[in-house]
Amino acid sequence: MPAGVTPQATSERRPADRQAARRAAGASLGRRRLTNRLAWIAGALCLALVAIPVLSVIWGVVGRAVGNWHWNVLTTDTAGNGGGLLNGIEGTLVVMFGVAVITGVIGIAGGLYLGEYLPADRGQILRGASEVLSGVPSIVLGYVGYVVLVVQFHWGYSLAAALIVLSILVVPYVTKTTEVAIRGVPTAYREGAEALGMRSGYTLRKLVLRPALPGIATGLIVALAIAVGETAPLLFTAGFSNKAPTGQLTHSPIGYLTYLVYTYFNVPAASAHALAADAALVLLVIVLLLIVIARVLVSMTQRYSPDRRQRVGRAPT
Amino acid sequence: MTADDRTTMVAEPPLVAGDEAQRADARQTSDIPPQAQTGGPTGAGTAPPAQPGGSGPGGGSPSGPASPWWRAERLMPRALRGVAFLPLVALVLILAALVWKAMPAIRYNGFGFFTRSVWNLGGSYSPIVTTNGIRHPQGATYGALPLIVGTLQSSVIALVLAVPIGIGTALIVVEKLPARLSSGVGFFLEVLAGIPSVVYGLWGALTLGPFLAHDIAQPIANVMPNVPVLNFFRGEGPNNSAGNGNGLLVSGVVLAIMILPIIAATTRDLLRQVPRPTVEGAVALGMTDAEAVRAVTLPWVRAGVIGASVLGLGRALGETIALAMVSGGSPGHIATSLYGAMTTIAATIVTQLDSAFNDVSGLAVSVMAELGLVLLVITVLANAGARWLVRRVSTTALPVGRGV
Amino acid sequence: MSTRRPRSLTGSTISLPTDTVHRGRRRAARSVVVLAGVALLAAACGSSKAPPSSSPSTSPSTTSAVSLSSLENWPTTAVSLQETGSSLLFPLFNLWVQQIAKDWPSVTVQTASTGSGAGVTAAETGTANIGASDAYLAPAAVQQYPDLENIPLAISAQQVSYNIPGLSAITHVKLSGKVLAGIYQGTITNWDNAKITALNPGVKIPSLTIVPIHRVESSGDTFLFTSFLSASDPSGWTIAPDTTVTWPNVPGALTAMGNGGMVTTCQNTPGCVAYIGISYLKQATTAGLGYAALQNKAGHFEAPSPASITAEADSFTASTPSSGTVSMIYGSQSDGYPIVNYEYAIVPTKQPSALAAQAVKAVLAWAIDPTGGAASTYLGQVGFVALPTAVQSISTRLISKVSS
């Protein structure tokens, strides 16, 4: 496709239409019907190829974990080649909470600035930086966190290093979703509020942030799901601890679930394999919960969004 | 046209939200004293009384220009601006740290870093020597070629598998499935995107790997002739072994599953933007719907789909932990077979960083930074390219980060 | 933390008094000799001259002044220690830690199996109080981090495991260093190779491709194994022993993470051969892996057993210097197993606090105490052997140097 040609123009000008029409005229109706059916069967096959891995992953993990599931893995700490997940769950929750607070403040504030105070055509450097940051591989962040925070700053494996690295990882996501959510609030609201002489801060809180809140929360929750599932950056910043988090920000490693999966899956002991599977199951449950919450929030927003009407109007026959 | 649609939709607020706004307006009119409406907040009592569930430090208390809330309100844009710059600052600091750390390695390795296939940390038990002003263990030679090749190989396999499947899924979802089912598929895609990569690694190592090796790879390897190109599909070694399940193929398949949701979800969103009348027109002219998809829908979204694929590529290139679990390789080895052990830049960093600190000259740690820099450049280019492609053709922004 | 030793991650040299540097160099040269596998020479060298201790301030006369029990002064204030490193020592440390948690609840020791390289790194960078390693510190590391010492904790060995289906579990395939070097160089690729069958008359070895497995991360086991290859086949195996080496490219060769990964990978790979620490022998046997009888310098084939390990280690007691640094590979003992080593705790003598120092001393002293952690109830479970009295007193003196 030559540069600068819009898709609309292309589809009108492209010879593909004419070719297809000519082919359509030439081929027998039966053959075309068959091709049509085969094409959609191929599509359905694709759908199956998406579904099978999801089911296989879930079944593989759940099957492995449920087979010899003991509830006490949730209440005991990791010890030796086995034990429980309590330290990992506690650590993961602490990390989640910390990431939620940091990215909640930084991501939402940044998104608010980009969405509310900057015109859409300005701030491209900020948006660009966010997008570049979102593309930085997590292991690179882990490297920098390890070399700079853990080693150079003498923080040791610590919650602080883990939180900083994970927050950098997901802040672009929260910024973006916040900006999109805020831009989704009709300008008419603000104009109306201004016409009525309402103070800008009040407008922001009541008329902009409130309708945008589900969108923002969704972004934050998805960001948390991403953070919970990270391993590589945590390996080099959080270290690992088979005790509950101490509450110290530095010089105190912290346990987390992904470490247990990564490390214990190839320890040649049945107890270790079981622990890795259990940790994976708990991770899946946490992530699924977060996704479900995010979806509920999205459906709440969509009830009021123009998008939904559009889609309903376009529902295939 | 699509953009116009959107603006119209936005300009005309939906009913329910409009109701709420009206209610809020009504409340407001009665709440706000006259002077606030005419001249802004000049007198006492301008702050509206706290709404039920309302928040904010100024709520309910009299506040003038000198009140903290008023001051905070005026400072707000500036404070937000400062915070908005944090990602940029972080990015600059990360780059600076990487470049600073990588400098010795860049100077020591030279351009040969990209052409050599040797990965030799040098003797940690032999004395440290100095070459060109860089201290290094004797015999240290680094070549990233196998890592770069491995990274590209696995990512390309992932793309080859994920792009057609992703497009097919998106087409089915948009064109054929009823709304309820298609939202179910959307949920599936979100789950697929949300599953932690370490869980994919676990699944790849314990379930997928052995299955592929025994039931798929070995039979293929057995029938493939030993001729150029096709011998890539043969096994390794004299017995034509397709390995034990760790290697290039498994890595590619796991990566494909990980990037599927990005491609499928973005394509789905793009397909929804294709103007209906054009497609319906094609059908009205006598095309079957598959033909209409080929002739109208796909060309419409092509650039966007390429963008989404490149974004998926960016994700595949940077994936770390799953590949560390299933790639089965070590640096310095280019896979000569589809089933052979290999490794990627990211997996090498994660498995070698601890060991790198054993090199007391610091060169190995520096080499890790150089690897990180190479990876960063590749992925950022892929990301930027993807966004540029999609922006050119569509109002749909690509998903940011690792989510859908 | 202000008392932490000076260190450099940017590769700059720590300035040392010149005499220390010279001594370091001389020691470095000697270690290279040891590593070259000329064990006899090393033994002679070690026993004839009083080896310099790593710290000139401590003279051998203080040896008698320190008793184990005086070091086992357990703190009563709660303190948490980090131990990380060697996956070979990990199972033993876990047994110890459980007992310590029971007897001295105020002392918490966190253990992690990350590989010897990571253990040394953690001690160097201060991310752990105790780093565990199967390999002693490299001379360059000693020079760079003069505050680090390697304290022998127990005697370990390394078995060569293999997965040959159909071979009876009680058979120990006889292998020599030369054959193993051939396997890891890719010149011997099948189990029924004449060089292997010649060593094993009467044993029916099937035709099966050999899959050599090596460690992906920096590992003391790799150091021990490559030391054995160098020592037993000096002309054939030219790669210097190290914790990470550039392995010859053998088609189909695999890598694994940690000793656990070696067992798991070998279990999944018929035909594999893997070097695995003795503390994983039980798990390897349970996984269906056999282990080889290795040819020692006297020409005898010995399987690892408490008797053959003790015999070998005892022959090195006299040559163990006060720094604890000695290679015990391929000794001349006729009934000794040829791959034996001290398991080291790599400990910074400057601990972050007095409390941590006290706890580290107590833990380590208890660990080598025959009435404590060195009792056969612990060591026997992992196939280790307790230190001879002479080495135990060397360790005791090293432990006593830990302070804050």
Side-chain angles (χ1 to χ4, degrees), chain C residues 75-97:
Chain C
T76 46
T77 326
V79 56
S80 178
L81 300 180
Q82 308 292 329
E83 181 274 339
T84 188
S86 167
S87 56
L88 176 51
L89 195 49
F90 177 70
L92 178 59
F93 241 103
N94 263 327
L95 296 175
W96 284 343
V97 161

Side-chain angles (χ1 to χ4, degrees), chain B residues 145-215:
Chain B
L145 185 65
L147 307 179
I148 297 171
V149 170
T151 308
L152 295 178
Q153 275 177 332
S154 54
S155 298
V156 165
I157 292 176
L159 275 189
V160 166
L161 293 174
V163 169
I165 295 178
I167 295 174
T169 307
L171 278 173
I172 279 279
V173 166
V174 174
E175 303 286 336
K176 289 286 168 191
L177 289 190
R180 192 168 288 272
L181 254 180
S182 86
S183 108
V185 174
F187 178 68
F188 247 55
L189 289 178
E190 275 171 35
V191 172
L192 208 51
I195 292 176
S197 50
V198 73
V199 174
Y200 279 118
L202 184 76
W203 175 74
L206 300 182
T207 308
L208 180 67
F211 166 72
L212 280 182
H214 301 136
D215 299 329

Side-chain angles (χ1 to χ4, degrees), chain B residues 124-125 239 333 352 354-355 358, chain C residues 117 121 136 209 216 218 242 249:
Chain B
S124 57
Y125 285 83
N239 283 16
H333 178 72
Q352 304 291 317
D354 264 329
S355 320
N358 285 15
Chain C
T121 298
Y136 44 80
T209 307
V216 63
S218 174
D242 215 323
N249 201 349

Side-chain angles (χ1 to χ4, degrees), chain A residues 18-92:
Chain A
R18 268 171 281 146
Q19 279 172 9
R22 221 175 294 137
R23 222 180 299 123
S28 79
L29 197 62
R31 244 185 80 188
R32 287 176 55 210
R33 208 171 269 159
L34 185 70
T35 321
N36 192 37
R37 187 157 300 170
L38 282 179
W40 290 116
I41 288 175
L45 203 66
C46 289
L47 190 58
L49 282 174
V50 173
I52 289 169
V54 183
L55 296 178
S56 174
V57 170
I58 293 176
W59 185 81
V61 168
V62 174
R64 256 169 232 285
V66 168
N68 42 11
W69 177 262
H70 299 288
W71 286 102
N72 62 10
V73 299
L74 297 179
T75 53
T76 50
D77 283 337
T78 310
N81 282 339
L85 303 170
L86 184 61
N87 52 320
I89 295 172
E90 287 168 340
T92 300

Side-chain angles (χ1 to χ4, degrees), chain B residues 305-370:
Chain B
V305 170
I306 293 174
S309 308
V310 180
L311 191 73
L313 177 68
R315 160 104 202 246
L317 292 168
E319 176 49 41
T320 309
I321 213 74
L323 283 190
M325 292 164 90
V326 300
S327 66
S330 63
H333 178 72
I334 296 182
T336 52
S337 147
L338 181 59
Y339 324 108
M342 46 74 72
T343 190
T344 68
I345 298 176
T348 302
I349 299 178
V350 82
T351 52
Q352 304 291 317
L353 183 52
D354 264 329
S355 320
F357 273 83
N358 285 15
D359 177 353
V360 292
S361 71
L363 180 66
V365 177
S366 179
V367 168
M368 294 294 137
E370 190 178 2

